[in-house]
Amino acid sequence: MSDAIATLLDNNRAWAERMCEEDPEYFKRLSSQQNPDYLWIGCSDSRVPANQIIALPPGEVFVHRNVANLLHHTDMNALSVVQFAVDVLKVSHIMIVGHYGCGGIKAAMTGGECGVVDYWLHSVREQYNQHRSSLDHLPMEDQIDRMCEINVKAQVNSLCRTKILQRAWQRGQDISVHGWVYGLSDGRVKDLNCTITGLEQVETLYRIDRLHQGD
């Protein structure tokens, strides 16, 4: 075993012992059942730890992460997480959280050959192409940060166009979808004020009640 991995295991043992000393029932309580009110869909970046940023303990936040915090309708991994969170855990809030200076957003904007991730980021590149004329006057660093915000808003809309969310709203579930961006430089979360709380806020073209009426 490498020294680096051995250190991680030692750290784990020390942490588990410390938690038991501070709260002898901690792991018993944690292992009994998870009942979070929040689903966090964020970027895979190691500098953006969901629980720590919003100061909640393990068990309080259900988390899904991927490069550039995207919600593709063909991504069975993400959709499975969303369905479990909505239909089984009955979360009340879903936060889609980007972060300023996102490497995935930058890669989509600046081009180059990045391998398989290029396919994953194709939708971001299309977003950038659509907004490029309004961003060109900005320095590239500011363009990237602005695109991080634009991307989060797009993912909020994408999530709310899924049948998972819309059926939940139809049956009266109280779920809100929020768009946030995290600042690596100051640790602050910015609310982008794009929260969607019900089916009536989804564009008519994407609403399943419209589709059912047309059947």
Side-chain angles (χ1 to χ4, degrees):
M1 184 185 299
S2 70
D3 291 342
I5 296 301
T7 298
L8 295 181
L9 294 174
D10 289 341
N11 290 347
N12 168 254
R13 283 188 287 270
W15 170 78
E17 290 171 2
R18 184 174 68 253
M19 295 303 295
C20 288
E21 290 174 2
E22 295 174 359
D23 181 359
E25 298 296 312
Y26 177 78
F27 290 110
K28 181 179 179 180
R29 190 169 59 251
L30 191 64
S31 64
S32 62
Q33 184 179 0
Q34 65 168 338
N35 189 32
D37 285 327
Y38 308 98
L39 168 60
W40 173 292
I41 300 176
C43 183
S44 297
D45 193 299
S46 61
R47 300 167 293 177
V48 191
N51 287 72
Q52 288 178 259
I53 288 172
I54 50 179
L56 289 178
E60 298 297 321
V61 187
F62 199 54
V63 179
H64 176 75
R65 297 169 69 173
N66 61 53
V67 176
N69 44 274
L70 301 179
L71 199 291
H72 293 308
H73 287 205
T74 55
D75 181 2
M76 293 299 103
N77 184 0
L79 293 180
S80 296
V81 170
V82 171
Q83 182 161 33
F84 186 78
V86 171
D87 294 348
V88 180
L89 298 178
K90 308 292 186 183
V91 298
S92 299
H93 299 276
I94 301 175
M95 298 89 73
I96 298 183
V97 189
H99 65 94
Y100 293 120
C102 178
I105 301 295
K106 180 178 180 180
M109 294 171 63
T110 57
E113 173 59 50
C114 298
V116 174
V117 75
D118 288 335
Y119 298 101
W120 178 255
L121 296 172
H122 181 72
S123 63
V124 179
R125 190 168 292 111
E126 289 189 324
Q127 290 177 49
Y128 178 48
N129 186 52
Q130 292 170 9
H131 292 88
R132 196 165 186 171
S133 61
S134 65
L135 299 174
D136 274 343
H137 68 287
L138 298 173
M140 180 52 69
E141 184 175 324
D142 292 339
Q143 289 190 42
I144 293 169
D145 286 348
R146 179 67 183 127
M147 273 304 304
C148 290
E149 296 180 348
I150 291 171
N151 178 57
V152 166
K153 291 179 179 180
Q155 304 316 309
V156 168
N157 288 329
S158 181
L159 177 57
C160 293
R161 292 169 184 169
T162 64
K163 292 181 179 180
I164 301 168
L165 262 294
Q166 293 191 29
R167 284 173 177 156
W169 282 322
Q170 282 187 326
R171 61 179 176 257
Q173 260 182 264
D174 183 15
I175 306 176
S176 299
V177 182
H178 312 271
W180 293 355
V181 180
Y182 174 69
L184 294 171
S185 62
D186 61 8
R188 299 292 184 92
V189 170
K190 178 180 179 180
D191 186 346
L192 297 179
N193 296 314
C194 58
T195 297
I196 297 177
T197 60
L199 185 57
E200 69 280 356
Q201 293 174 265
V202 179
E203 305 98 314
T204 304
L205 179 64
Y206 300 98
R207 286 170 54 169
I208 60 175
D209 56 353
R210 178 191 69 87
L211 297 175
H212 290 166
Q213 288 169 8
D215 289 343

